Coordinates of all heavy atoms in Angstrom, one line a residue:
M5 N -51.7 6.0 -28.7 CA -52.8 6.5 -27.9 C -52.4 7.9 -27.4 O -51.3 8.1 -26.9 CB -53.2 5.6 -26.8 CG -54.5 5.9 -26.1 SD -54.7 5.0 -24.5 CE -54.8 3.4 -25.1
Q6 N -53.4 8.8 -27.5 CA -53.0 10.2 -27.0 C -53.8 10.5 -25.7 O -53.2 11.2 -24.8 CB -53.5 11.2 -28.0 CG -52.6 11.1 -29.3 CD -52.0 12.4 -29.6 OE1 -52.7 13.4 -29.7 NE2 -50.7 12.4 -29.9
D7 N -55.0 10.0 -25.6 CA -55.8 10.3 -24.4 C -56.1 9.0 -23.6 O -56.3 8.0 -24.3 CB -57.1 11.0 -24.8 CG -56.9 12.4 -25.3 OD1 -55.8 13.0 -25.1 OD2 -57.8 12.9 -26.0
V8 N -56.1 9.1 -22.3 CA -56.6 8.0 -21.5 C -57.8 8.4 -20.8 O -58.0 9.6 -20.5 CB -55.5 7.5 -20.5 CG1 -54.4 6.8 -21.2 CG2 -55.0 8.6 -19.7
T9 N -58.7 7.5 -20.5 CA -59.9 7.7 -19.7 C -59.6 7.5 -18.3 O -59.0 6.5 -17.9 CB -61.0 6.7 -20.2 OG1 -61.2 6.9 -21.6 CG2 -62.3 7.0 -19.4
I10 N -60.0 8.5 -17.5 CA -59.8 8.4 -16.0 C -61.2 8.6 -15.3 O -61.9 9.6 -15.7 CB -58.8 9.4 -15.5 CG1 -57.6 9.4 -16.4 CG2 -58.5 9.2 -14.0 CD1 -56.3 9.2 -15.8
Y11 N -61.5 7.8 -14.3 CA -62.7 8.0 -13.6 C -62.4 8.7 -12.3 O -61.6 8.1 -11.5 CB -63.4 6.7 -13.3 CG -63.7 5.9 -14.6 CD1 -62.9 4.8 -15.0 CD2 -64.7 6.3 -15.5 CE1 -63.1 4.1 -16.1 CE2 -64.9 5.6 -16.7 CZ -64.1 4.5 -17.0 OH -64.3 3.9 -18.2
I12 N -63.0 9.8 -12.0 CA -62.6 10.6 -10.8 C -63.9 10.9 -10.0 O -64.8 11.5 -10.5 CB -62.0 11.9 -11.2 CG1 -60.7 11.7 -12.1 CG2 -61.6 12.8 -10.0 CD1 -60.1 12.9 -12.7
T13 N -63.9 10.4 -8.8 CA -65.0 10.7 -7.9 C -64.6 11.9 -7.1 O -63.6 12.0 -6.4 CB -65.3 9.5 -7.0 OG1 -65.6 8.4 -7.8 CG2 -66.5 9.8 -6.0
D14 N -65.4 13.0 -7.2 CA -65.1 14.2 -6.5 C -65.4 14.2 -5.0 O -65.9 13.1 -4.5 CB -65.7 15.4 -7.2 CG -67.2 15.5 -7.1 OD1 -67.8 14.8 -6.2 OD2 -67.9 16.1 -7.9
R15 N -65.2 15.3 -4.3 CA -65.4 15.3 -2.9 C -66.8 15.2 -2.5 O -67.1 15.0 -1.3 CB -64.7 16.5 -2.3 CG -63.2 16.4 -2.4 CD -62.5 17.7 -1.9 NE -61.0 17.6 -2.0 CZ -60.2 18.6 -2.3 NH1 -60.8 19.8 -2.6 NH2 -58.9 18.4 -2.4
E16 N -67.7 15.4 -3.4 CA -69.2 15.3 -3.1 C -69.7 13.9 -3.4 O -70.8 13.6 -3.3 CB -70.0 16.3 -4.0 CG -69.4 17.7 -4.1 CD -69.4 18.4 -2.8 OE1 -70.3 18.2 -2.0 OE2 -68.4 19.2 -2.6
G17 N -68.8 13.1 -3.9 CA -69.2 11.7 -4.2 C -69.7 11.5 -5.7 O -70.1 10.5 -6.0
E18 N -69.5 12.6 -6.5 CA -70.0 12.5 -7.9 C -68.9 11.9 -8.7 O -67.7 12.4 -8.7 CB -70.4 13.8 -8.3 CG -71.2 13.8 -9.6 CD -71.7 15.2 -10.1 OE1 -72.0 16.0 -9.2 OE2 -71.8 15.4 -11.3
K19 N -69.2 10.9 -9.6 CA -68.2 10.3 -10.4 C -68.2 11.0 -11.8 O -69.2 11.2 -12.4 CB -68.6 8.8 -10.6 CG -67.5 8.0 -11.2 CD -67.8 6.5 -11.1 CE -66.8 5.7 -12.0 NZ -67.1 4.3 -11.8
H20 N -67.0 11.3 -12.2 CA -66.8 12.0 -13.5 C -65.9 11.1 -14.4 O -64.9 10.5 -13.9 CB -66.1 13.3 -13.4 CG -66.7 14.2 -12.4 ND1 -67.6 15.2 -12.8 CD2 -66.7 14.3 -11.0 CE1 -68.1 15.9 -11.7 NE2 -67.5 15.3 -10.6
T21 N -66.2 11.1 -15.7 CA -65.3 10.4 -16.6 C -64.6 11.4 -17.4 O -65.3 12.3 -18.1 CB -66.2 9.5 -17.6 OG1 -66.9 8.6 -16.7 CG2 -65.3 8.7 -18.5
V22 N -63.3 11.4 -17.4 CA -62.6 12.5 -18.1 C -61.5 11.9 -19.0 O -61.1 10.8 -18.8 CB -61.9 13.5 -17.1 CG1 -62.9 14.1 -16.2 CG2 -60.7 12.9 -16.4
L23 N -61.1 12.7 -20.0 CA -60.0 12.3 -20.9 C -58.8 13.0 -20.6 O -58.9 14.3 -20.4 CB -60.4 12.6 -22.4 CG -61.4 11.6 -23.0 CD1 -61.7 12.1 -24.4 CD2 -60.9 10.2 -23.1
A24 N -57.7 12.3 -20.4 CA -56.4 13.0 -20.0 C -55.4 12.7 -21.1 O -55.2 11.6 -21.5 CB -55.9 12.5 -18.7
P25 N -54.7 13.8 -21.6 CA -53.7 13.6 -22.6 C -52.4 13.0 -22.1 O -51.9 13.3 -21.0 CB -53.4 15.0 -23.1 CG -53.7 15.9 -21.9 CD -54.8 15.2 -21.1
T26 N -51.8 12.1 -22.8 CA -50.6 11.4 -22.4 C -49.3 12.2 -22.9 O -48.2 11.9 -22.6 CB -50.5 10.0 -22.8 OG1 -50.6 9.9 -24.3 CG2 -51.5 9.1 -22.2
D27 N -49.6 13.1 -23.8 CA -48.4 13.8 -24.5 C -48.2 15.2 -24.1 O -47.6 16.0 -24.8 CB -48.7 13.7 -26.0 CG -50.0 14.4 -26.4 OD1 -50.7 14.8 -25.5 OD2 -50.2 14.5 -27.6
M28 N -48.7 15.6 -22.9 CA -48.6 17.0 -22.5 C -47.9 17.1 -21.1 O -47.9 18.2 -20.5 CB -49.9 17.7 -22.4 CG -50.5 17.9 -23.8 SD -52.1 18.7 -23.7 CE -51.7 20.3 -22.9
A29 N -47.2 16.0 -20.7 CA -46.5 16.0 -19.4 C -47.3 16.5 -18.3 O -46.9 17.3 -17.4 CB -45.2 16.9 -19.5
M30 N -48.6 16.1 -18.3 CA -49.5 16.4 -17.2 C -49.4 15.4 -16.1 O -49.1 14.2 -16.3 CB -50.9 16.5 -17.7 CG -51.2 17.8 -18.4 SD -53.0 17.8 -18.9 CE -53.7 18.7 -17.6
N31 N -49.8 15.8 -14.9 CA -50.0 14.9 -13.8 C -51.5 14.8 -13.4 O -52.3 15.7 -13.9 CB -49.1 15.2 -12.6 CG -49.4 16.5 -12.0 OD1 -50.5 16.8 -11.7 ND2 -48.4 17.4 -11.8
L32 N -51.8 13.9 -12.6 CA -53.3 13.7 -12.3 C -53.9 14.9 -11.6 O -55.0 15.3 -11.8 CB -53.3 12.4 -11.4 CG -54.6 11.7 -11.3 CD1 -55.3 11.5 -12.7 CD2 -54.3 10.3 -10.7
M33 N -53.1 15.6 -10.7 CA -53.6 16.8 -10.0 C -54.0 17.8 -11.1 O -55.0 18.5 -11.0 CB -52.6 17.3 -9.1 CG -52.9 18.6 -8.4 SD -52.4 20.1 -9.3 CE -50.7 20.2 -9.1
E34 N -53.2 18.0 -12.1 CA -53.5 19.0 -13.1 C -54.7 18.6 -13.9 O -55.5 19.5 -14.3 CB -52.3 19.2 -14.0 CG -51.1 19.8 -13.3 CD -49.8 19.7 -14.1 OE1 -49.6 18.7 -14.8 OE2 -48.9 20.6 -13.9
V35 N -54.9 17.4 -14.1 CA -56.2 16.9 -14.8 C -57.4 17.3 -13.9 O -58.4 17.8 -14.5 CB -56.1 15.4 -15.1 CG1 -57.5 14.9 -15.6 CG2 -55.0 15.1 -16.0
V36 N -57.3 17.0 -12.6 CA -58.5 17.4 -11.8 C -58.7 18.9 -11.8 O -59.9 19.3 -11.9 CB -58.2 16.9 -10.3 CG1 -59.3 17.4 -9.4 CG2 -58.0 15.4 -10.2
R37 N -57.7 19.7 -11.8 CA -57.8 21.1 -11.9 C -58.3 21.6 -13.2 O -59.2 22.4 -13.3 CB -56.5 21.8 -11.6 CG -56.1 21.7 -10.2 CD -54.7 22.4 -9.9 NE -54.8 23.8 -10.4 CZ -54.4 24.8 -9.6 NH1 -53.9 24.6 -8.4 NH2 -54.4 26.0 -10.1
T38 N -57.9 21.0 -14.3 CA -58.3 21.3 -15.6 C -59.8 21.1 -15.8 O -60.5 22.0 -16.4 CB -57.6 20.5 -16.7 OG1 -56.2 20.7 -16.6 CG2 -58.0 20.8 -18.1
Y39 N -60.3 20.1 -15.2 CA -61.8 19.8 -15.3 C -62.5 20.4 -14.2 O -63.7 20.2 -14.0 CB -62.0 18.3 -15.3 CG -61.7 17.7 -16.7 CD1 -60.4 17.1 -16.9 CD2 -62.6 17.7 -17.7 CE1 -60.1 16.6 -18.2 CE2 -62.3 17.1 -19.0 CZ -61.1 16.6 -19.2 OH -60.8 16.0 -20.4
E40 N -61.8 21.2 -13.3 CA -62.5 21.9 -12.2 C -63.3 21.0 -11.3 O -64.5 21.3 -11.0 CB -63.3 23.1 -12.7 CG -62.4 24.1 -13.5 CD -63.2 25.3 -14.0 OE1 -64.4 25.3 -14.0 OE2 -62.5 26.2 -14.5
L41 N -62.7 19.9 -11.0 CA -63.4 18.9 -10.1 C -63.3 19.1 -8.7 O -63.8 18.4 -7.8 CB -63.0 17.5 -10.5 CG -63.2 17.1 -12.0 CD1 -62.8 15.6 -12.2 CD2 -64.6 17.3 -12.4
A42 N -62.5 20.1 -8.3 CA -62.4 20.6 -6.9 C -62.2 22.1 -6.9 O -61.6 22.6 -7.9 CB -61.1 19.9 -6.3
P43 N -62.8 22.8 -6.0 CA -62.8 24.2 -6.0 C -61.3 24.8 -6.0 O -60.4 24.2 -5.4 CB -63.5 24.6 -4.7 CG -64.3 23.5 -4.3 CD -63.6 22.3 -4.8
E44 N -61.1 25.8 -6.8 CA -59.9 26.5 -6.9 C -59.3 26.8 -5.4 O -60.1 27.1 -4.6 CB -60.1 27.8 -7.6 CG -58.9 28.7 -7.9 CD -58.0 28.1 -9.0 OE1 -58.6 27.5 -9.9 OE2 -56.8 28.2 -8.9
G45 N -58.1 26.5 -5.2 CA -57.5 26.8 -3.9 C -57.6 25.6 -3.0 O -57.0 25.7 -1.9
T46 N -58.3 24.6 -3.4 CA -58.4 23.4 -2.5 C -57.6 22.2 -3.0 O -57.5 21.2 -2.3 CB -59.8 23.0 -2.2 OG1 -60.4 22.4 -3.5 CG2 -60.7 24.1 -1.8
I47 N -57.0 22.4 -4.2 CA -56.2 21.3 -4.7 C -55.0 21.9 -5.5 O -55.2 22.9 -6.1 CB -57.1 20.4 -5.6 CG1 -56.2 19.2 -6.1 CG2 -57.6 21.1 -6.8 CD1 -57.0 18.0 -6.6
G48 N -53.9 21.2 -5.3 CA -52.7 21.7 -6.0 C -52.1 22.9 -5.4 O -51.4 23.7 -6.1
V49 N -52.3 23.1 -4.1 CA -51.8 24.3 -3.4 C -50.3 24.6 -3.5 O -49.9 25.7 -3.7 CB -52.3 24.3 -1.9 CG1 -51.7 25.5 -1.1 CG2 -53.8 24.2 -1.8
C50 N -49.5 23.5 -3.5 CA -48.1 23.7 -3.6 C -47.6 23.7 -5.0 O -46.4 23.8 -5.2 CB -47.3 22.7 -2.7 SG -47.3 21.0 -3.5
G51 N -48.5 23.6 -5.9 CA -48.1 23.6 -7.3 C -47.5 22.3 -7.8 O -46.9 22.2 -8.9
G52 N -47.8 21.2 -7.0 CA -47.3 19.9 -7.5 C -45.9 19.5 -7.0 O -45.3 18.7 -7.7
M53 N -45.5 20.0 -5.9 CA -44.2 19.8 -5.3 C -44.2 18.7 -4.2 O -43.2 18.5 -3.5 CB -43.6 21.0 -4.8 CG -43.6 22.2 -5.7 SD -42.4 22.0 -7.0 CE -40.9 22.3 -6.1
A54 N -45.3 18.0 -4.0 CA -45.4 17.0 -2.9 C -45.2 17.7 -1.6 O -44.6 17.0 -0.7 CB -44.4 15.8 -3.1
M55 N -45.7 18.9 -1.4 CA -45.4 19.6 -0.2 C -46.7 20.1 0.5 O -46.7 20.9 1.5 CB -44.6 20.8 -0.4 CG -43.1 20.4 -0.7 SD -42.1 21.8 -1.2 CE -42.1 22.8 0.2
C56 N -47.9 19.7 0.0 CA -49.1 20.2 0.7 C -50.2 19.1 1.0 O -51.0 19.3 1.8 CB -49.7 21.3 -0.1 SG -50.5 20.7 -1.6
A57 N -50.2 18.1 0.2 CA -51.2 17.0 0.3 C -52.6 17.4 -0.1 O -53.5 16.6 0.1 CB -51.2 16.3 1.7
S58 N -52.8 18.6 -0.6 CA -54.1 19.0 -1.0 C -54.6 18.2 -2.2 O -55.8 18.2 -2.5 CB -54.2 20.5 -1.4 OG -53.4 20.7 -2.6
C59 N -53.7 17.5 -2.9 CA -54.1 16.7 -4.0 C -54.2 15.2 -3.7 O -54.3 14.4 -4.7 CB -53.0 16.9 -5.1 SG -51.4 16.2 -4.7
Q60 N -54.3 14.9 -2.4 CA -54.4 13.5 -2.1 C -55.6 12.8 -2.7 O -56.7 13.4 -2.8 CB -54.5 13.3 -0.6 CG -54.5 11.9 -0.1 CD -54.8 11.7 1.3 OE1 -55.0 10.5 1.8 NE2 -54.8 12.7 2.1
C61 N -55.4 11.6 -3.2 CA -56.5 10.9 -3.7 C -56.3 9.4 -3.3 O -55.3 9.0 -2.8 CB -56.6 11.0 -5.3 SG -55.2 10.1 -6.1
Y62 N -57.4 8.7 -3.5 CA -57.4 7.2 -3.2 C -57.5 6.5 -4.5 O -58.4 6.8 -5.3 CB -58.6 6.8 -2.3 CG -58.7 7.6 -1.1 CD1 -59.8 8.4 -0.8 CD2 -57.6 7.7 -0.2 CE1 -59.9 9.2 0.4 CE2 -57.7 8.5 1.0 CZ -58.8 9.2 1.2 OH -58.9 10.0 2.4
V63 N -56.6 5.6 -4.8 CA -56.6 4.8 -6.0 C -57.5 3.6 -5.8 O -57.1 2.7 -5.0 CB -55.2 4.5 -6.5 CG1 -55.2 3.6 -7.7 CG2 -54.3 5.7 -6.7
T64 N -58.6 3.5 -6.5 CA -59.5 2.4 -6.2 C -59.6 1.3 -7.3 O -60.3 0.3 -7.1 CB -61.0 3.0 -6.0 OG1 -61.3 3.8 -7.2 CG2 -61.0 3.9 -4.8
S65 N -58.8 1.5 -8.3 CA -58.7 0.4 -9.3 C -57.3 -0.2 -9.1 O -56.4 0.4 -8.4 CB -58.8 0.9 -10.7 OG -57.9 2.0 -11.0
D66 N -57.1 -1.4 -9.6 CA -55.7 -2.0 -9.4 C -54.8 -1.8 -10.5 O -54.2 -2.7 -11.1 CB -55.7 -3.4 -8.9 CG -56.8 -4.2 -9.5 OD1 -57.9 -4.2 -9.0 OD2 -56.5 -4.8 -10.5
H67 N -54.6 -0.6 -10.9 CA -53.6 -0.2 -11.9 C -52.2 -0.3 -11.4 O -52.0 0.0 -10.2 CB -53.9 1.2 -12.5 CG -55.0 1.2 -13.5 ND1 -56.3 0.9 -13.1 CD2 -55.0 1.4 -14.8 CE1 -57.1 1.0 -14.2 NE2 -56.3 1.3 -15.2
K68 N -51.3 -0.6 -12.2 CA -49.8 -0.5 -11.8 C -49.4 0.9 -12.1 O -49.3 1.3 -13.2 CB -49.0 -1.5 -12.7 CG -48.6 -2.7 -11.9 CD -47.3 -3.3 -12.5 CE -46.6 -4.3 -11.6 NZ -46.5 -4.0 -10.2
I69 N -49.3 1.7 -11.1 CA -48.8 3.1 -11.3 C -47.4 3.3 -10.7 O -46.9 2.4 -10.0 CB -49.8 4.1 -10.7 CG1 -50.2 3.8 -9.3 CG2 -51.0 4.2 -11.6 CD1 -51.2 4.8 -8.7
N70 N -46.8 4.4 -11.1 CA -45.4 4.6 -10.7 C -45.3 4.6 -9.2 O -46.2 5.0 -8.4 CB -45.0 6.0 -11.2 CG -45.8 7.2 -10.7 OD1 -47.0 7.2 -10.8 ND2 -45.2 8.1 -10.0
A71 N -44.2 4.1 -8.7 CA -43.9 3.9 -7.3 C -43.8 5.3 -6.6 O -43.4 6.2 -7.3 CB -42.7 3.1 -7.1
M72 N -44.0 5.3 -5.3 CA -43.9 6.5 -4.5 C -42.4 6.9 -4.3 O -41.6 6.1 -4.0 CB -44.5 6.3 -3.2 CG -45.7 7.1 -2.9 SD -46.1 6.9 -1.2 CE -47.7 6.2 -1.4
E73 N -42.1 8.2 -4.5 CA -40.8 8.7 -4.2 C -40.8 9.0 -2.7 O -41.9 9.2 -2.1 CB -40.4 9.9 -5.0 CG -40.5 9.7 -6.5 CD -39.2 9.0 -7.0 OE1 -38.2 9.0 -6.3 OE2 -39.3 8.5 -8.1
D74 N -39.6 9.3 -2.1 CA -39.5 9.6 -0.7 C -40.3 10.8 -0.3 O -40.9 10.9 0.8 CB -38.0 9.9 -0.3 CG -37.2 8.6 -0.4 OD1 -37.9 7.5 -0.5 OD2 -36.0 8.7 -0.4
E75 N -40.3 11.9 -1.2 CA -41.0 13.1 -0.8 C -42.5 12.8 -0.6 O -43.2 13.4 0.3 CB -40.9 14.2 -1.9 CG -39.5 14.7 -2.1 CD -38.7 13.8 -3.0 OE1 -39.3 13.0 -3.8 OE2 -37.4 13.8 -2.9
E76 N -43.1 12.1 -1.5 CA -44.5 11.8 -1.5 C -44.8 10.9 -0.2 O -45.8 11.2 0.5 CB -44.9 11.0 -2.7 CG -46.4 10.6 -2.7 CD -46.9 9.9 -4.0 OE1 -46.1 9.7 -4.9 OE2 -48.1 9.6 -4.0
D77 N -44.0 10.0 0.0 CA -44.1 9.1 1.2 C -44.1 9.9 2.5 O -44.9 9.8 3.4 CB -43.0 8.1 1.2 CG -43.3 6.9 2.0 OD1 -44.5 6.6 2.3 OD2 -42.4 6.2 2.5
A78 N -43.2 10.8 2.6 CA -43.0 11.7 3.7 C -44.2 12.6 3.9 O -44.7 12.8 5.0 CB -41.7 12.5 3.6
M79 N -44.7 13.2 2.8 CA -45.8 14.1 2.9 C -47.1 13.4 3.4 O -47.8 13.8 4.2 CB -46.0 14.8 1.5 CG -47.1 15.9 1.5 SD -46.6 17.3 2.5 CE -47.9 17.3 3.8
L80 N -47.3 12.2 2.8 CA -48.5 11.4 3.2 C -48.4 10.9 4.7 O -49.4 10.8 5.3 CB -48.6 10.2 2.3 CG -49.3 10.5 0.9 CD1 -49.2 9.3 0.0 CD2 -50.7 11.0 1.1
S81 N -47.2 10.8 5.2 CA -47.1 10.3 6.6 C -47.5 11.4 7.5 O -47.8 11.2 8.7 CB -45.7 9.9 6.9 OG -44.8 10.9 6.9
E82 N -47.6 12.7 7.0 CA -48.1 13.8 7.9 C -49.5 14.3 7.5 O -50.0 15.2 8.2 CB -47.2 15.0 7.6 CG -45.8 14.8 8.1 CD -44.9 16.0 7.7 OE1 -45.4 17.0 7.3 OE2 -43.7 15.8 7.8
A83 N -50.1 13.7 6.5 CA -51.4 14.2 6.0 C -52.5 13.6 6.8 O -52.3 12.6 7.5 CB -51.5 13.9 4.5
F84 N -53.7 14.2 6.6 CA -54.9 13.7 7.2 C -55.6 12.7 6.3 O -55.4 12.8 5.1 CB -55.9 14.8 7.6 CG -55.3 15.8 8.6 CD1 -54.7 17.0 8.2 CD2 -55.3 15.4 10.0 CE1 -54.2 17.8 9.1 CE2 -54.8 16.3 10.9 CZ -54.2 17.5 10.5
N85 N -56.5 11.9 6.9 CA -57.4 11.0 6.1 C -56.6 10.1 5.1 O -57.1 9.7 4.1 CB -58.4 11.8 5.2 CG -59.2 12.7 6.1 OD1 -59.9 12.3 7.0 ND2 -59.2 14.0 5.8
V86 N -55.4 9.7 5.6 CA -54.6 8.8 4.7 C -55.0 7.4 4.8 O -55.3 6.9 5.9 CB -53.1 8.9 5.1 CG1 -52.2 8.0 4.3 CG2 -52.6 10.4 4.8
K87 N -55.1 6.7 3.7 CA -55.5 5.3 3.7 C -54.4 4.5 3.0 O -53.5 5.1 2.4 CB -56.8 5.1 2.9 CG -58.0 5.8 3.5 CD -59.2 5.5 2.6 CE -60.4 6.3 3.0 NZ -61.6 6.0 2.1
E88 N -54.6 3.2 3.0 CA -53.6 2.3 2.3 C -53.4 2.7 0.8 O -52.3 2.6 0.3 CB -54.2 0.9 2.2 CG -54.2 0.1 3.5 CD -53.0 -0.7 3.6 OE1 -52.9 -1.8 2.9 OE2 -52.0 -0.4 4.3
N89 N -54.5 3.1 0.2 CA -54.4 3.4 -1.3 C -54.2 4.9 -1.5 O -54.5 5.4 -2.6 CB -55.6 2.9 -2.0 CG -56.9 3.4 -1.4 OD1 -57.0 4.0 -0.4 ND2 -58.0 3.1 -2.1
S90 N -53.8 5.7 -0.6 CA -53.6 7.1 -0.8 C -52.4 7.4 -1.7 O -51.3 6.7 -1.5 CB -53.3 7.8 0.6 OG -54.5 8.0 1.3
R91 N -52.5 8.3 -2.5 CA -51.4 8.9 -3.3 C -51.6 10.4 -3.4 O -52.7 10.9 -3.3 CB -51.4 8.3 -4.7 CG -51.1 6.8 -4.8 CD -49.6 6.5 -4.4 NE -48.6 7.2 -5.2 CZ -47.9 6.7 -6.2 NH1 -48.1 5.4 -6.5 NH2 -47.0 7.4 -6.8
L92 N -50.5 11.0 -3.7 CA -50.6 12.5 -4.1 C -50.7 12.5 -5.6 O -49.8 12.0 -6.3 CB -49.3 13.2 -3.7 CG -49.0 13.3 -2.2 CD1 -47.7 14.0 -1.9 CD2 -50.2 13.9 -1.4
S93 N -51.8 13.0 -6.1 CA -52.1 13.0 -7.5 C -51.1 13.8 -8.3 O -50.9 13.5 -9.5 CB -53.6 13.4 -7.8 OG -53.8 14.7 -7.4
C94 N -50.5 14.8 -7.7 CA -49.5 15.5 -8.4 C -48.2 14.7 -8.7 O -47.4 15.1 -9.6 CB -49.1 16.8 -7.7 SG -48.1 16.6 -6.2
Q95 N -48.1 13.6 -8.1 CA -46.9 12.8 -8.3 C -47.2 11.6 -9.2 O -46.4 10.7 -9.3 CB -46.4 12.2 -6.9 CG -46.0 13.3 -6.0 CD -44.9 14.3 -6.5 OE1 -43.9 13.8 -6.9 NE2 -45.2 15.6 -6.6
I96 N -48.3 11.6 -9.9 CA -48.7 10.6 -10.8 C -48.8 11.2 -12.2 O -49.7 11.8 -12.6 CB -50.0 9.9 -10.4 CG1 -49.9 9.4 -9.0 CG2 -50.4 8.9 -11.4 CD1 -51.2 8.7 -8.5
P97 N -47.8 10.9 -13.0 CA -47.8 11.4 -14.4 C -48.8 10.6 -15.2 O -49.0 9.4 -15.0 CB -46.4 11.2 -14.9 CG -45.7 10.3 -14.0 CD -46.5 10.2 -12.7
I98 N -49.4 11.3 -16.2 CA -50.4 10.7 -17.0 C -49.7 9.9 -18.1 O -49.0 10.4 -18.9 CB -51.3 11.7 -17.7 CG1 -52.1 12.6 -16.7 CG2 -52.3 11.0 -18.6 CD1 -53.0 11.9 -15.8
T99 N -49.9 8.6 -18.1 CA -49.3 7.7 -19.1 C -50.4 6.7 -19.6 O -51.5 6.6 -19.0 CB -48.2 6.8 -18.5 OG1 -48.8 6.0 -17.5 CG2 -47.1 7.7 -17.8
E100 N -50.1 6.0 -20.6 CA -51.0 5.1 -21.2 C -51.4 4.0 -20.2 O -52.5 3.5 -20.2 CB -50.5 4.5 -22.5 CG -50.4 5.5 -23.6 CD -49.9 4.8 -24.9 OE1 -49.8 3.6 -25.0 OE2 -49.5 5.6 -25.8
A101 N -50.5 3.7 -19.3 CA -50.8 2.7 -18.3 C -52.0 3.1 -17.4 O -52.5 2.2 -16.7 CB -49.5 2.4 -17.4
L102 N -52.3 4.3 -17.4 CA -53.4 4.8 -16.5 C -54.8 4.7 -17.1 O -55.8 5.1 -16.5 CB -53.2 6.3 -16.1 CG -51.9 6.6 -15.2 CD1 -52.1 8.0 -14.6 CD2 -51.7 5.6 -14.2
N103 N -54.9 4.2 -18.3 CA -56.2 4.1 -18.9 C -57.2 3.4 -18.0 O -56.9 2.3 -17.5 CB -56.1 3.5 -20.3 CG -57.3 3.7 -21.2 OD1 -57.9 4.8 -21.1 ND2 -57.7 2.8 -22.0
E104 N -58.3 4.0 -17.8 CA -59.4 3.5 -17.0 C -59.1 3.5 -15.5 O -59.7 2.7 -14.8 CB -59.9 2.2 -17.5 CG -60.3 2.3 -19.0 CD -61.4 1.4 -19.4 OE1 -61.5 0.3 -18.9 OE2 -62.2 1.7 -20.3
L105 N -58.1 4.2 -15.1 CA -57.8 4.4 -13.7 C -59.0 5.0 -12.9 O -59.7 5.8 -13.5 CB -56.6 5.3 -13.5 CG -56.1 5.6 -12.1 CD1 -55.3 4.4 -11.6 CD2 -55.3 6.9 -12.0
E106 N -59.2 4.5 -11.7 CA -60.3 5.1 -10.9 C -59.7 5.7 -9.6 O -58.9 5.0 -8.9 CB -61.3 4.0 -10.5 CG -62.0 3.4 -11.7 CD -63.1 2.4 -11.2 OE1 -63.6 2.5 -10.1 OE2 -63.4 1.5 -12.0
I107 N -60.0 6.9 -9.4 CA -59.6 7.5 -8.1 C -60.7 8.3 -7.5 O -61.7 8.6 -8.1 CB -58.4 8.6 -8.3 CG1 -58.9 9.7 -9.2 CG2 -57.2 7.9 -9.0 CD1 -58.0 11.0 -9.1
E108 N -60.6 8.5 -6.2 CA -61.5 9.4 -5.4 C -60.6 10.4 -4.8 O -59.5 10.2 -4.3 CB -62.1 8.6 -4.3 CG -63.2 7.6 -4.6 CD -63.6 6.8 -3.4 OE1 -63.5 7.3 -2.3 OE2 -64.0 5.6 -3.6
L109 N -61.1 11.7 -4.8 CA -60.4 12.8 -4.2 C -60.6 12.6 -2.7 O -61.7 12.4 -2.2 CB -60.9 14.1 -4.6 CG -60.9 14.4 -6.1 CD1 -61.3 15.8 -6.5 CD2 -59.5 14.1 -6.7
A110 N -59.5 12.8 -1.9 CA -59.5 12.8 -0.5 C -60.2 14.0 0.0 O -60.2 15.0 -0.7 CB -58.1 12.7 0.1
P111 N -60.9 14.0 1.2 CA -61.6 15.2 1.7 C -60.6 16.4 1.8 O -59.4 16.2 2.1 CB -62.1 14.8 3.1 CG -61.9 13.3 3.2 CD -60.9 12.9 2.2
D112 N -61.2 17.6 1.7 CA -60.5 18.8 1.9 C -60.3 19.0 3.4 O -61.3 18.8 4.1 CB -61.3 19.9 1.3 CG -60.6 21.2 1.3 OD1 -59.4 21.3 1.4 OD2 -61.4 22.3 1.2
V113 N -59.1 19.3 3.9 CA -59.0 19.5 5.3 C -58.8 20.9 5.7 O -58.4 21.7 5.0 CB -57.9 18.6 5.9 CG1 -58.3 17.2 5.9 CG2 -56.6 18.8 5.1
Ligands
FES216 S1 -50.2 19.6 -5.1 FE1 -49.2 19.8 -3.2 S2 -48.7 17.8 -2.8 FE2 -49.6 17.6 -4.7

């Protein structure tokens, strides 16, 4: 499989169905940016280094995704609007296991 389907609800509450490639070493934040689902400058501010939380999302399906590393955990502990299911989308690599994943973008702060 080369592409996985991801359902992304943007900050306006609109749901998008997108295809994400598993063979391009992309992360979820880059997918959101590629499809321009959040205004430029409001997501991926640190370039995917787990240092800004602008890419925070809520995972609303029960997929098994990669566990959080310490940097992500630390960043989320300082971020706003954090929920149980919060993740930094830049820390989630696109893999086949993510097929039909559902996420919502956290509000821009
Ligand atoms: S892009 Fe900055 S934490 Fe994800």
